Amino acid sequence: MASAKFQVMTLTDAAAERVRELVENSDKNAAGLRLGIKTGGCAGMEYTMEMVEKPEAGDDVIEDKGAKLFVDPSAVLFLLGTEMDFEMTKFRSGFVFKNPNEVSACGCGESVTLQAADMDAVAQ
């Protein structure tokens, strides 16, 4: 019996549907969305997303519910265990990240403080 590969993060049905829509409606020949993190915002870090035609070397590939994400290798330890959702409310719509590595977030919800995942806890 083959062992299942550990997946860095998961997508809700709504997030997978939105990723599929974005890729299908892209002006370029998109293969999926690339997810990363960068320094910025009042809490210190921001999630980044960009449409990509092919993954970069070292990207972690996530295929979930028909959607494809490529995770920047420098972001993997900060995203382990994260669930990506897509929410649509009366006032906004966008991706929401339920990240167990989040230490704090700014009041507007645009930036977060993240710590690297505890690999001992993940291995159990």
Side-chain angles (χ1 to χ4, degrees):
M1 180 165 110
S3 63
K5 181 181 182 276
F6 178 78
Q7 190 162 285
V8 173
M9 52 186 292
T10 58
L11 288 83
T12 64
D13 291 342
E17 181 179 345
R18 184 63 179 146
V19 169
R20 288 191 312 266
E21 287 173 0
L22 290 170
V23 171
E24 289 167 9
N25 297 321
S26 171
D27 291 341
K28 51 174 130 174
N29 187 20
L33 291 178
R34 187 162 195 266
L35 180 63
I37 54 172
K38 68 176 184 175
T39 55
C42 50
M45 298 178 115
E46 297 174 327
Y47 296 103
T48 62
M49 293 189 91
E50 64 180 324
M51 199 70 61
V52 293
E53 293 182 29
K54 63 180 185 174
E56 292 184 18
D59 280 354
D60 203 301
V61 180
I62 297 170
E63 294 186 69
D64 194 3
K65 300 173 184 75
K68 192 177 276 192
L69 288 180
F70 304 104
V71 180
D72 182 319
S74 66
V76 168
L77 282 178
F78 296 100
L79 296 174
L80 282 173
T82 297
E83 179 186 68
M84 184 172 145
D85 194 8
F86 181 77
E87 293 182 348
M88 201 174 234
T89 69
K90 186 186 269 189
F91 299 108
R92 71 174 288 278
S93 65
F95 290 105
V96 178
F97 298 90
K98 295 174 183 139
N99 187 336
N101 308 303
E102 186 176 303
V103 177
S104 66
C106 67
C108 66
E110 294 298 318
S111 66
V112 293
T113 302
L114 300 172
Q115 65 183 11
D118 178 356
M119 292 308 293
D120 291 333
V122 171
Q124 296 177 356

